[in-house]
Amino acid sequence: MAKIDMTSTDAQTSSEPTLSSSTYSSPESLKFRDKLYTSRLVIVPGTDRSYPVEKATVVVPASDIEAVKFLKASEEYEPFKE
C-alpha cells in the first residue's frame, strides 16, 4: 500500500508543475524603455520597491500594479516593443 500512496503522490507532484506552467503562460513581467537614461534606479512612489534600468530597459512584474501604473503614466518610459 505504501508504494501505491507514493505513486499517487509522485503523479500529483509531476502534474502540479505542468499546471503551474500553463497558469503562468501570460507574461509574468513587463518591459519598459527608458527614454532618458541607459541606467538608473526607478523607485515606485508610495512603496519601498525599486527596479534597476539597464541598457535603457526596466523590467517589472506584471503583478506590481503600482509600478506598472507609474511607468505607463510617466512620459520618461514607454512600453517595450518586441
Side-chain angles (χ1 to χ4, degrees):
M1 286 187 151
K3 290 184 180 180
I4 294 172
D5 291 339
M6 294 296 287
T7 306
S8 63
T9 303
D10 291 343
Q12 290 173 354
T13 304
S14 64
S15 67
E16 286 176 8
T18 306
L19 293 174
S20 296
S21 63
S22 66
T23 302
Y24 295 114
S25 62
S26 63
E28 295 180 26
S29 59
L30 299 172
K31 290 182 182 180
F32 291 86
R33 184 177 78 85
D34 191 327
K35 296 178 184 179
L36 300 178
Y37 298 97
T38 57
S39 70
R40 66 171 156 172
L41 188 64
V42 176
I43 299 173
V44 182
T47 70
D48 60 349
R49 292 183 303 278
S50 61
Y51 299 99
V53 173
E54 297 174 351
K55 298 180 182 177
T57 304
V58 60
V59 180
V60 297
S63 61
D64 190 345
I65 297 169
E66 293 91 357
V68 173
K69 283 174 130 178
F70 170 72
L71 292 169
K72 284 185 176 181
S74 175
E75 292 183 12
E76 297 180 9
Y77 305 95
E78 67 182 4
F80 192 82
K81 297 175 180 143
E82 296 183 44

